[in-house]
Amino acid sequence: MNRPAKLLTAWAAAATLFAGTAACGGPDDDAADGGAVEISVSNMPQTTEPRDRENFLKEVAAFERANPDIKIKPSDAKWEANTFAARLSSGQLETVFMVPLTDPQAMIKRRQIADITEEFRKLPHSAEFDKRLLAPATGADGRIYGVPTKTYAMGLIYNRDLFAKAGLDPANPPKTWDEVRIAAKRVSDATGVPGFGMHTTKNTGGWMLTTQTYSYGGVMQREQDGKHVAAFNDDPTRRMLELLKAMRWQDKSMGSQHLRNQDDLVKDFAAGKVAMMMGAPDSYKGYVTRFAGDPAKYGQAPVPTGNTPATMLGGEIAVVSPKASKAQQAAALKWIDYYYLRPKYEPAVATERAKAKAADNVPVGIPDVPFYAANTSGPVVAAERANASVPLDNFAPYVAGVAGQAFVVEPPVAAQELYAALDTAVQAVLTRQDADPAAELKKAEDKVAPILERAQR
């Protein structure tokens, strides 16, 4: 599963130094070998991933054969919080580079990424692209400044075997947080296994609490006088903390181990030591490949509803340097389409990629959020299902449920620091019976407020 996006405090603090400038990298001239347009692209796999790197370079070569007027300069640079600000300000970024879904809105305001609306509209099936996915890279002007390349929507993971032993229907997992509470107690009472496990360390407690807050209609930050301020010290987040406290101390359905991060929980879940946890479908990969979990016991549902059908949307967006010429922008969109989007709308390409994954013993068929309308994404999904190595029926509740949920991205400013402060609040209500959710949120707010202020100077 993807880690929480590491938002760029250093970048945000430094951004005003080069606001409105062409701060991102990209060749200044279009000419390359024989007059071809040259573009640089990021996210080539590292040398520590030789098979993936080889496959990436094969795709580059195939793209260049299909587009002899474009020359690709691949880079294995990736978005990193500690280096991004310096690369941004020095103009060393690639023509095409990846950012978390949280970043484009601020970059749009500072004119640090290119308007690619016209080139995007030329791409196959662009009119069918899910607008929920485009929203993080769509400006207030309605223009498009980036293209999603990888997305995940958070959900609820549950142990189908433990559900059955507790008399629960594995095909009908909890749909609301009240139902989660009931199911957790039934599993705990019937099997002795904690019914629900909550992330609490390494910023994952705040990450998951944010997702849960969204399901109650809340937000973690809001705009005030042109800046983002903390907004989690209110009813939606309090209700979720109160629910967790009740499950822990009244129901006694969460066990006694409450200092775990994402990997800790997946490991315990795979070992049958916890019946439910938060996570996106790609948690399944680690569940089976790293922790030897039983595929038959894995179940995936959408995020339960508090009072709002919503979930956290995460992932990456491909953006283009504002220094890129029109020819380079056109070439950049052709590359984004060729490498990232074709598997989402061409069944033959989806089949080819699925077979390549299977050959590398990578689970095939884990559902993700379709990029396109059903008439286009449907044949791709069918192609992936035909080559699937995962128990598809176990993901059916998720696929059906997430289609009707709103997608909300992570907090746009200093998310990691916000998550860290909320880790403490989650830990408090799970480890101290006298902890007051409202008081813990006030402590977190007091800690986060100056951090947000500094990040936006």
Side-chain angles (χ1 to χ4, degrees):
M1 162 177 288
N2 293 350
R3 300 289 186 181
K6 298 177 181 178
L7 293 196
L8 192 55
T9 302
W11 163 74
T16 54
L17 296 177
F18 37 86
T21 68
C24 303
D28 290 322
D29 60 272
D30 293 345
D33 298 344
V37 175
E38 181 178 284
I39 61 171
S40 54
V41 302
S42 70
N43 277 41
M44 176 173 63
Q46 304 282 331
T47 54
T48 53
E49 306 169 287
R51 178 65 67 86
D52 291 340
R53 189 180 181 96
E54 178 185 356
N55 289 338
F56 184 90
L57 292 174
K58 284 181 179 178
E59 294 286 355
V60 168
F63 175 82
E64 290 181 337
R65 286 194 297 271
N67 298 274
D69 57 337
I70 300 174
K71 179 68 175 176
I72 297 286
K73 181 182 178 182
S75 165
D76 59 11
K78 296 183 184 296
W79 184 90
E80 293 288 348
N82 294 333
T83 62
F84 193 84
R87 296 183 69 226
L88 181 66
S89 60
S90 64
Q92 295 178 355
L93 289 175
E94 296 74 22
T95 315
V96 179
F97 57 100
M98 302 295 168
V99 298
L101 265 67
T102 46
D103 282 28
Q105 288 300 314
M107 301 179 86
I108 291 168
K109 291 178 180 178
R110 297 184 176 97
R111 293 179 289 171
Q112 292 165 341
I113 49 179
D115 179 342
I116 56 173
T117 306
E118 302 309 322
E119 295 301 332
F120 174 79
R121 288 174 177 167
K122 296 175 185 177
L123 299 182
H125 309 290
S126 61
E128 301 172 42
F129 210 100
D130 191 330
K131 289 181 173 55
R132 296 178 301 170
L133 304 186
L134 280 176
T138 301
D141 56 2
R143 306 290 288 178
I144 297 168
Y145 294 82
V147 183
T149 59
K150 180 173 66 176
T151 59
Y152 68 87
M154 204 65 77
L156 177 75
I157 300 170
Y158 63 100
N159 185 307
R160 293 169 58 87
D161 182 60
L162 290 173
F163 265 45
K165 288 178 178 178
L168 299 167
D169 181 3
N172 187 30
K175 296 180 175 62
T176 68
W177 284 111
D178 288 340
E179 291 178 3
V180 168
R181 181 180 181 181
I182 293 169
K185 182 165 175 55
R186 286 188 61 176
V187 170
S188 182
D189 290 348
T191 69
V193 175
F196 185 78
M198 181 66 184
H199 304 65
T200 59
T201 65
K202 296 186 178 178
N203 301 3
T204 60
W207 184 36
M208 293 302 172
L209 184 62
T210 295
T211 302
Q212 294 160 331
T213 295
Y214 292 165
S215 75
Y216 277 99
V219 295
M220 309 311 278
Q221 296 176 2
R222 70 174 188 277
E223 281 201 48
Q224 179 177 297
D225 299 326
K227 291 186 177 181
H228 286 85
V229 298
F232 54 76
N233 187 14
D234 62 0
D235 185 64
T237 313
R238 280 198 299 270
R239 288 180 65 183
M240 191 63 221
L241 282 182
E242 287 166 357
L243 176 67
L244 291 172
K245 182 178 179 180
M247 291 169 65
R248 166 68 174 97
W249 299 105
Q250 294 178 28
D251 301 347
K252 302 187 185 306
S253 62
M254 294 183 66
S256 58
Q257 168 58 279
H258 299 293
L259 296 177
R260 292 181 290 201
N261 63 21
Q262 179 177 266
D263 281 352
D264 297 331
L265 268 170
V266 174
K267 183 178 180 179
D268 282 353
F269 179 78
K273 295 180 180 180
V274 63
M276 289 183 283
M277 59 176 282
M278 297 286 290
D282 59 1
S283 296
Y284 179 87
K285 180 178 178 181
Y287 170 81
V288 296
T289 62
R290 295 180 58 198
F291 304 119
D294 183 349
K297 295 180 180 179
Y298 186 99
Q300 182 80 51
V303 169
T305 298
N307 54 24
T308 302
T311 185
M312 176 185 284
L313 181 71
E316 291 182 336
I317 287 182
V319 295
V320 177
S321 166
K323 294 180 68 176
S325 67
K326 290 296 183 182
Q328 288 173 322
Q329 290 184 22
L333 268 292
K334 285 186 178 180
W335 165 253
I336 293 168
D337 176 61
Y338 180 88
Y339 186 68
Y340 295 104
L341 301 185
R342 284 191 313 142
K344 305 293 186 181
Y345 65 74
E346 283 192 8
V349 178
T351 297
E352 179 185 347
R353 298 276 178 95
K355 290 181 176 179
K357 286 183 179 179
D360 291 337
N361 295 317
V362 176
V364 175
I366 297 173
D368 56 13
V369 181
F371 282 16
Y372 299 94
N375 63 314
T376 296
S377 63
V380 167
V381 171
E384 292 173 343
R385 290 177 69 93
N387 293 277
S389 61
V390 306
L392 293 171
D393 288 346
N394 296 9
F395 291 89
Y398 174 86
V399 173
V402 78
Q405 289 185 314
F407 293 157
V408 188
V409 298
E410 295 178 72
V413 179
Q416 285 301 305
E417 290 86 346
L418 183 149
Y419 292 158
L422 289 172
D423 269 5
T424 305
V426 176
Q427 290 170 17
V429 301
L430 295 180
T431 59
R432 299 199 332 263
Q433 190 168 1
D434 63 349
D436 175 18
E440 295 302 326
L441 288 177
K442 181 62 169 62
K443 292 177 187 176
E445 181 182 46
D446 290 344
K447 185 175 182 179
V448 168
I451 294 173
L452 294 180
E453 175 64 28
R454 288 195 299 271
Q456 298 173 92
R457 286 176 182 166

